[in-house]
């Protein structure tokens, strides 16, 4: 019963897509500054899979052993067929999770989800203050989220709150945890921002200092002691301050499979930024062939693809060289060591980012929020000034 | 934080958790928000009897019968209950 990384067993002999994430739409009423969705998502909002296509994905993935289903986005509730999808998921034996901002969750819909057998709802919250919550999401959704939280609790769902942590709310960790307790949260995920997609282009504005993170972790640990088993708190450590990279997705094509709104199948959320990979699509190929045989899923599986310093590194099994997307986005080399690693020849890029995040001039630059307009501008190559440091951004 | 297990205690799978047999994995699994654990065969056999009806003692008896008591399994079963309770996979009926 060896467990690792949220309880996924570590000694898996053959890869299996235990976790299926359905990024069911890229449309979203919120415009979060830290969204990890691709900055070119506006290209992928008009060709979504239909209900039957999603149901086929669920059936095929279940046959391959998928168990945990995340229904995510964008905002999944913008689709009117989530009821059909959760009902099918339940019948197939998935443990299903709706990952939502809460916008669009009505009494009628939550009752239908309950009847259909949805197992839990993960609600994003942003801060204890209306001002910061509304600012960072670029919407007026603070009060609505409080209401939705009460509705989730009322229906007997486990209350899972996800709070993305960044400079604007890291000073409120204690108050955020107190709010979670008051709302009756069973699980709280304090997810320090990871820098992909929109959060990468807003990195200087979002990144907290090392001191702030240490303080936040200390407060979290104290709160854990106080609350005990009543509320489980996950503190997702930001990798920029680490010396070794994370074992991203528990390994490329090992246990996670993501099907995006248009049917592309990815081994991680942001893999589409990588160069020279054609990601297969469920409209053209069978899911099991995609997982086991496609060149995309085999490209960074295991460690054959590695070059130095990873190849001969005694620690390579611990992190499998870290994150391919981060390596490419920051250094332009998708096969290189994740620049987080102090053994990487590109570690100076991380150190520079940490320095930049203290630079008040860079901090004061306006945030580029996740909007259709900004996405289209980024696709067309505007904001070049801002992007020149991030080699591979569109 | 180990909690004491009494033989007369009756446990069930904790709310928000699901325990099921997985054909593709050839094992029992326990599923909960943000996580899953594949269980080894003995842990699976034990949790399969945790149903809100059987007492801990019953579970011991049933497994002793089923496996023709391969030595003193009572101690192992009790420690599995402790482990599962500590993980909040099971709760008292």
């Amino acid at each position: 019963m060896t467990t690792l990384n949220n309880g996924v067993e570590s000694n898996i002999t053959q890869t299996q897509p235990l976790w299926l994430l359905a990024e069911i739409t890229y449309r979203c009423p919120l415009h979060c500054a830290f969204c990890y969705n691709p900055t070119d998502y506006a290209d992928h909002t008009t060709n979504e899979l239909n209900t039957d296509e999603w149901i086929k994905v669920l059936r095929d993935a279940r046959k391959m052993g998928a168990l945990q289903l995340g229904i995510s986005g964008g905002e999944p509730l913008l689709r009117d067929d989530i009821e059909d999808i959760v009902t099918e998921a339940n019948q197939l034996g998935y443990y299903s999770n709706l990952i939502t901002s809460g916008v669009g969750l009505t009494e009628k819909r939550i009752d239908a989800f309950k009847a259909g057998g949805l197992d839990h709802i993960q609600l994003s919250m942003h801060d204890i203050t209306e001002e910061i919550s509304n600012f960072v999401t670029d919407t007026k959704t603070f009060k609505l989220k409080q209401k939705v939280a009460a509705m989730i609790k009322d229906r007997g769902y486990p209350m899972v709150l996800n709070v993305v942590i960044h400079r604007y709310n890291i000073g409120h960790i204690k108050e955020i945890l107190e709010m979670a307790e008051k709302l009756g949260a069973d699980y709280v995920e304090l997810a320090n921002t990871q820098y992909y997609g929109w959060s990468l282009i807003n990195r200087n504005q979002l990144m907290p200092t090392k001191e702030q993170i240490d303080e936040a972790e200390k407060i979290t640990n104290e709160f854990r002691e106080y609350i005990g088993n009543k509320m489980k708190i996950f503190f997702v450590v930001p990798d920029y301050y680490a010396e070794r990279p994370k074992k991203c997705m528990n390994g490329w094509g090992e246990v996670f499979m993501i099907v995006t709104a248009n049917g592309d199948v990815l081994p991680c959320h942001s893999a589409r930024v990588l160069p020279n990979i054609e990601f297969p699509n469920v409209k053209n190929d069978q899911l099991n062939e995609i997982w086991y045989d496609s060149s995309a899923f085999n490209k960074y599986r295991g460690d054959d693809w590695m070059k130095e310093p990873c190849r001969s590194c005694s620690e390579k099994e611990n992190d499998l060289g870290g994150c391919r997307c981060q390596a490419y986005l920051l250094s332009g080399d998708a096969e290189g060591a994740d620049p987080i690693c102090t053994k990487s020849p590109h570690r100076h890029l991380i150190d520079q980012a940490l320095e930049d995040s203290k630079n008040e001039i860079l901090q004061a630059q306006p945030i580029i929020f996740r909007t259709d307009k900004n996405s289209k501008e980024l696709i067309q190559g505007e904001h070049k000034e801002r992007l020149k440091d991030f080699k591979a951004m569109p | 934080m180990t909690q004491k297990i009494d033989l007369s205690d009756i446990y069930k799978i904790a709310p928000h958790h699901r325990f099921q047999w997985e054909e593709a994995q050839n094992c029992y699994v326990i599923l909960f928000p943000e996580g899953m654990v594949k269980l080894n065969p003995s842990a699976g056999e034990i949790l399969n009897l945790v149903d809100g009806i059987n007492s801990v003692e019953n579970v011991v008896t049933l497994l002793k019968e089923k496996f023709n008591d391969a030595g003193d399994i009572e101690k192992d079963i009790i420690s599995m209950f402790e482990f599962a309770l500590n993980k909040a996979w099971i709760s008292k009926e």
Side-chain angles (χ1 to χ4, degrees):
Chain A
M1 252 177 341
T2 46
T3 64
L4 182 86
N5 200 359
N6 285 346
V8 177
E9 196 174 63
S10 62
N11 55 346
I12 294 161
T13 47
Q14 199 195 4
T15 68
Q16 216 166 26
L18 299 174
W19 297 69
L20 172 65
L21 184 70
E23 282 189 339
I24 207 151
T25 178
Y26 282 130
R27 294 171 289 139
C28 189
L30 275 68
H31 311 129
C32 300
F34 49 74
C35 183
Y36 67 74
N37 276 174
T39 51
D40 64 352
Y41 78 84
D43 271 353
H44 307 287
T45 50
T46 53
N47 49 358
E48 291 179 5
L49 297 183
N50 64 31
T51 313
D52 290 341
E53 286 167 329
W54 274 115
I55 285 177
K56 181 169 188 315
V57 167
L58 297 189
R59 286 180 184 161
D60 291 349
R62 186 76 185 102
K63 268 186 230 149
M64 295 159 68
L67 268 169
Q68 280 275 5
L69 171 68
I71 303 166
S72 176
E75 172 50 65
L77 293 174
L78 287 181
R79 285 186 60 129
D80 59 11
D81 57 356
I82 303 300
E83 289 78 351
D84 301 328
I85 287 167
V86 301
T87 304
E88 179 72 20
N90 180 258
Q91 282 163 5
L92 290 168
Y94 280 103
Y95 195 82
S96 58
N97 175 18
L98 178 70
I99 301 166
T100 178
S101 66
V103 178
L105 192 60
T106 58
E107 304 266 345
K108 191 176 163 211
R109 292 200 86 178
I110 198 171
D111 287 340
F113 297 151
K114 194 78 194 173
L118 177 70
D119 289 290
H120 73 115
I121 299 175
Q122 181 185 305
L123 177 66
S124 61
M125 299 285 261
H126 303 283
D127 196 37
I128 43 146
T129 72
E130 182 160 8
E131 188 192 357
I132 289 176
S133 180
N134 287 352
F135 167 69
V136 83
T137 61
D138 193 28
T139 54
K140 289 182 180 156
T141 47
F142 178 76
K143 290 200 179 94
L144 177 139
K145 282 171 179 287
Q146 302 278 329
K147 238 187 266 170
V148 167
M151 209 196 298
I152 293 171
K153 194 70 191 170
D154 177 62
R155 295 305 191 280
Y157 273 115
M159 167 83 81
V160 184
L161 295 185
N162 179 284
V163 188
V164 175
I165 303 298
H166 41 73
R167 183 183 292 153
Y168 295 100
N169 63 6
I170 195 161
H172 301 158
I173 292 284
K174 183 149 188 277
E175 291 78 6
I176 288 170
L177 288 168
E178 285 167 354
M179 172 182 76
E181 184 189 9
K182 215 191 275 173
L183 291 171
D186 299 284
Y187 300 80
V188 179
E189 193 174 297
L190 300 172
N192 277 284
T193 305
Q194 308 266 354
Y195 297 98
Y196 301 91
W198 298 87
S199 53
L200 181 58
I201 58 177
N202 294 311
R203 192 175 62 185
N204 291 327
Q205 292 85 334
L206 294 172
M207 195 184 308
T209 64
K210 175 86 166 71
E211 290 71 29
Q212 286 175 313
I213 285 170
D214 290 346
E215 179 64 15
E217 194 162 17
K218 189 175 141 249
I219 292 168
T220 304
N221 286 335
E222 285 165 5
F223 202 88
R224 270 199 198 110
E225 293 253 314
Y226 149 75
I227 200 104
N229 242 347
K230 206 172 91 184
M231 184 166 105
K232 283 191 185 165
I233 310 172
F234 302 100
F235 188 85
V236 182
V237 185
D239 53 1
Y240 275 51
Y241 290 104
E243 297 197 334
R244 292 287 174 272
K246 56 186 179 282
K247 189 178 187 180
C248 199
M249 308 310 287
N250 215 30
W252 178 277
E254 286 290 318
V255 288
F256 289 91
M257 180 161 71
I258 293 161
V259 181
T260 66
N262 69 335
D264 284 350
V265 190
L266 311 176
C268 85
H269 312 80
S270 64
R272 220 168 1 209
V273 302
L274 294 168
N276 310 321
I277 304 183
E278 186 83 23
F279 285 102
N281 191 292
V282 294
K283 289 174 185 161
N284 311 322
D285 297 301
Q286 293 299 316
L287 207 55
N288 62 339
E289 289 168 13
I290 291 172
W291 177 265
Y292 291 109
D293 305 328
S294 71
S295 60
F297 271 80
N298 283 304
K299 188 156 173 122
Y300 299 119
R301 227 175 220 151
D303 57 14
D304 282 352
W305 55 272
M306 283 181 185
K307 56 187 196 187
E308 296 298 347
C310 295
R311 180 170 280 278
S312 61
C313 181
S314 62
E315 298 172 80
K316 69 179 174 186
E317 293 305 320
N318 299 342
D319 52 46
L320 291 171
C323 173
R324 294 305 86 224
C325 304
Q326 189 149 271
Y328 176 67
L329 286 170
L330 300 184
S331 75
D333 179 5
E335 272 90 43
D338 187 330
I340 297 297
C341 188
T342 52
K343 296 179 184 180
S344 160
H346 298 293
R347 171 69 204 192
H348 64 275
L349 296 169
I350 299 295
D351 296 329
Q352 184 60 49
L354 298 180
E355 278 307 306
D356 286 351
S357 73
K358 294 181 208 156
N359 181 324
E360 288 176 7
I361 297 166
L362 295 173
Q363 282 175 17
Q365 284 200 48
I367 284 178
I368 301 177
F369 287 99
R370 177 212 197 273
T371 63
D372 293 357
K373 180 173 167 283
N374 285 336
S375 180
K376 284 176 192 144
E377 284 179 11
L378 287 160
I379 293 164
Q380 280 154 23
E382 293 181 36
H383 305 287
K384 268 197 185 121
E385 243 343 81
R386 180 74 161 268
L387 297 175
K388 70 178 176 358
D389 295 337
F390 307 118
K391 297 189 169 48
M393 297 302 289
Chain B
M1 202 178 56
T2 308
Q3 297 169 67
K4 202 179 165 329
I5 304 284
D6 284 323
L7 284 172
S8 60
D9 289 344
I10 296 173
Y11 288 93
K12 60 177 180 184
I13 300 297
H16 313 317
H17 287 60
R18 200 197 298 155
F19 170 81
Q20 67 189 33
W21 173 257
E22 272 305 299
E23 206 56 55
Q25 262 78 250
N26 194 33
C27 67
Y28 284 105
V29 294
I30 190 147
L31 300 158
F32 45 89
E34 309 297 308
M36 70 173 99
V37 175
K38 295 185 189 189
L39 298 162
N40 67 28
S42 53
E45 291 289 347
I46 295 166
L47 286 186
N48 194 30
L49 295 170
V50 174
D51 55 2
I53 299 166
N54 283 318
S55 66
V56 176
E57 190 168 22
N58 281 349
V59 174
V60 173
T61 311
L62 288 166
L63 289 173
K64 276 185 171 175
E65 279 168 14
K66 182 164 181 182
F67 294 103
N68 206 5
D69 194 4
D72 181 17
I73 58 174
E74 180 170 324
K75 222 175 99 206
D76 294 340
I77 295 170
I78 303 270
S79 25
M80 179 58 207
F81 269 95
E82 280 171 358
F83 183 83
L85 187 60
N86 198 32
K87 290 271 183 197
W89 296 344
I90 59 174
S91 60
K92 238 178 221 174
E93 191 47 36

